[in-house]
Amino acid sequence: MHRTKVKVAEDALDANTTIAEANRHDFDHAGVRVVNLMSAPGAGKTTLLEATLPTLDARVGVLEGDVQGSMDSDRIAHLHIPVVQLNTEAGFGGECHLDANMVRSALGDLDLHELDLLVIENVGNLVCPAEFRVGEDARAMICSVTEGEDKPLKYPLMFRACELVVINKTDLLPHLDYEIEKMRTNLETVNPTARVLEVSARTGEGTEAFTEWLSGVAAREAAAV
Amino acid sequence: MHRTKVKVAEDALDANTTIAEANRHDFDHAGVRVVNLMSAPGAGKTTLLEATLPTLDARVGVLEGDVQGSMDSDRIAHLHIPVVQLNTEAGFGGECHLDANMVRSALGDLDLHELDLLVIENVGNLVCPAEFRVGEDARAMICSVTEGEDKPLKYPLMFRACELVVINKTDLLPHLDYEIEKMRTNLETVNPTARVLEVSARTGEGTEAFTEWLSGVAAREAAAV
């Protein structure tokens, strides 16, 4: 007598993991390391990339995720950096995040073998992007001081998902009721091991530490997903 | 001979509409008008409510939507305003928006008959909240000047969904490379009929216009969903 084989159907999240692993295989094969960069809308992801990528000692490319438009990829292309724009508007009202399959659909437009590092700039959102791995080596997020110190407590998954938290727009601190120490305490509550950088992408202050971090990721050994 | 009756199954969005209509029926029955207030994280929804609700000439209640925590509802309760906190964390990694059913689950905790106006402060997100009606009379959003002028072009559905766009944190304008006229032009591209207010919730400048707008909504006649 044969026993019935029971196979539990994969759900949407598992499908994402499967495709993320395929992406990761392609990244490893090409010798490119990948950063998934996330933040709320307007926290300064593109501005930080503009301030740091031109001085990076690695061959870098960018994948820009936005609901609509190509403004950010135009800014990156202006720096003579290979960039692909990925718009999510085809989804139901516009998808609020990138998933592994969307990233995969754009990989054919990048020559991965010519890159040491690929930075994926996710859709501006503090919730869903943290729920979808895309095959990345490292996840980083930017939190602007204008957003208030309470964000780690209100969006814990995002802050927990990232190994690096960049506190941006420090040039505005004199004009705000914002205490960086309170932000660091709140962050420590949800992610005690996160590395924290304080920068002003606008003035350039502190941004060299982010460039160094990117260099470090580009030099990492390939690891399993 | 009978003809086969074909009934197309309702999808998730239709289920939301059904429940939004039920909410709307309850709101109308209680004589309460409802504002769905949306924005990116940290744009200043709660601060604007703190600056305006105490002077409003209507009986107002608040429904606070957050992935986690009760910081915002604590701030509103401090003003002796009836408030209910609705956390979305039970969903897959934390839902990134309120839907009609979530709102419905909280209505039992508010005495609607004692209110003229209910303000629903949605989860901070510029994408998905615009896709889910909750039975509201009016949709408004806050866009902080720190987020940049490009947001209407990148998140068109949100800006199109709202009849009122509040440009907040104008006290920071002297310290930013931000042109309000550029923002207004971008907004007009996606929503030419939106009303626009410029305010600083922090200093109070311009906020009385938001109070007046809320009063106007509270005085509206009930209308069908």
Side-chain angles (χ1 to χ4, degrees):
Chain A
M1 190 183 112
H2 292 286
R3 288 185 70 93
T4 308
K5 281 190 189 166
V6 177
K7 184 157 169 54
V8 176
E10 292 177 317
D11 62 13
L13 200 61
D14 286 339
N16 189 73
T17 302
T18 302
I19 301 169
E21 281 173 9
N23 290 349
R24 184 55 183 258
H25 179 267
D26 291 358
F27 296 145
D28 285 349
H29 182 69
V32 60
R33 303 276 69 80
V34 179
V35 170
N36 187 355
L37 183 61
M38 302 178 278
S39 81
K45 294 186 294 299
T46 312
T47 306
L48 184 62
L49 294 181
E50 286 176 313
T52 54
L53 296 191
T55 62
L56 189 68
D57 59 347
R59 299 170 303 167
V60 64
V62 176
L63 200 160
E64 282 288 345
D66 277 302
V67 175
Q68 200 170 307
S70 65
M71 281 161 292
D72 290 350
S73 58
D74 294 344
R75 289 166 62 184
I76 298 296
H78 204 71
L79 304 172
H80 306 289
I81 290 170
V83 59
V84 174
Q85 179 76 47
L86 193 51
N87 281 344
T88 68
E89 64 181 322
F92 163 64
E95 291 291 342
C96 63
H97 59 273
L98 295 180
D99 64 22
N101 202 37
M102 290 186 236
V103 167
R104 190 155 191 81
S105 74
L107 294 185
D109 295 315
L110 283 164
D111 191 349
L112 294 180
H113 288 271
E114 293 296 314
L115 300 179
D116 303 310
L117 183 71
L118 174 65
V119 178
I120 299 175
E121 191 185 319
N122 219 308
V123 179
N125 181 350
L126 284 187
V127 187
C128 302
E131 297 165 3
F132 292 86
R133 287 207 166 267
V134 296
E136 70 272 53
D137 294 80
R139 304 207 273 186
M141 68 164 295
I142 304 179
C143 193
S144 156
V145 296
T146 59
E147 295 165 18
E149 310 97 337
D150 56 352
K151 294 300 164 290
L153 304 180
K154 289 167 99 174
Y155 303 91
L157 182 69
M158 173 61 74
F159 286 84
R160 207 173 281 136
C162 293
E163 64 177 85
L164 176 75
V165 175
V166 179
I167 301 176
N168 190 23
K169 308 194 189 180
T170 54
D171 56 296
L172 293 176
L173 282 175
H175 315 294
L176 299 171
D177 313 309
Y178 180 94
E179 297 171 37
I180 285 227
E181 281 315 309
K182 201 188 275 184
M183 166 66 185
R184 283 179 174 269
T185 304
N186 289 342
L187 174 59
E188 211 169 303
T189 308
V190 301
N191 186 351
T193 65
R195 187 168 165 205
V196 183
L197 301 179
E198 298 176 16
V199 314
S200 166
R202 186 180 175 226
T203 68
E205 197 177 342
T207 56
E208 69 286 346
F210 183 69
T211 313
E212 280 163 30
W213 181 79
L214 289 176
S215 283
V217 175
R220 283 186 197 173
E221 293 291 321
V225 178
Chain B
M1 193 182 111
H2 292 287
R3 289 185 69 93
T4 308
K5 280 190 191 166
V6 177
K7 183 156 169 56
V8 177
E10 291 176 317
D11 63 14
L13 200 60
D14 286 340
N16 189 73
T17 303
T18 302
I19 301 169
E21 282 174 9
N23 291 348
R24 185 55 183 261
H25 179 268
D26 291 357
F27 296 146
D28 285 349
H29 182 68
V32 61
R33 303 276 69 83
V34 179
V35 170
N36 186 355
L37 184 61
M38 302 178 279
S39 81
K45 294 186 293 303
T46 312
T47 306
L48 183 61
L49 294 182
E50 286 176 313
T52 54
L53 296 191
T55 62
L56 189 67
D57 59 348
R59 298 170 302 167
V60 64
V62 176
L63 200 161
E64 282 290 344
D66 278 302
V67 176
Q68 200 169 307
S70 65
M71 280 162 293
D72 290 351
S73 58
D74 294 344
R75 288 165 64 185
I76 298 297
H78 205 69
L79 305 171
H80 306 290
I81 289 170
V83 59
V84 173
Q85 179 76 47
L86 193 50
N87 282 344
T88 68
E89 65 182 320
F92 163 64
E95 290 292 340
C96 63
H97 59 273
L98 295 179
D99 64 21
N101 202 36
M102 290 186 234
V103 167
R104 191 156 191 79
S105 74
L107 295 186
D109 295 316
L110 283 164
D111 190 348
L112 295 180
H113 288 272
E114 293 297 313
L115 301 178
D116 302 311
L117 183 72
L118 174 65
V119 178
I120 298 174
E121 190 183 321
N122 219 309
V123 178
N125 181 351
L126 284 187
V127 188
C128 302
E131 297 165 3
F132 292 86
R133 286 206 167 267
V134 296
E136 69 273 53
D137 295 80
R139 305 209 272 186
M141 67 165 294
I142 304 178
C143 192
S144 157
V145 296
T146 59
E147 295 165 19
E149 310 97 337
D150 56 353
K151 295 300 162 292
L153 304 179
K154 290 166 99 174
Y155 303 90
L157 182 68
M158 173 60 77
F159 285 85
R160 207 172 281 136
C162 293
E163 63 177 86
L164 176 75
V165 175
V166 179
I167 301 177
N168 190 21
K169 307 195 189 180
T170 54
D171 56 295
L172 294 175
L173 282 173
H175 317 294
L176 300 170
D177 313 310
Y178 180 95
E179 297 170 37
I180 284 227
E181 281 314 308
K182 201 187 274 183
M183 166 65 185
R184 283 177 174 268
T185 303
N186 289 342
L187 174 59
E188 211 169 304
T189 308
V190 301
N191 186 352
T193 64
R195 188 169 165 202
V196 183
L197 301 180
E198 298 177 14
V199 313
S200 166
R202 185 180 175 228
T203 69
E205 198 178 342
T207 55
E208 69 287 345
F210 184 69
T211 312
E212 280 164 28
W213 181 80
L214 288 176
S215 284
V217 175
R220 283 186 197 172
E221 292 291 319
V225 179

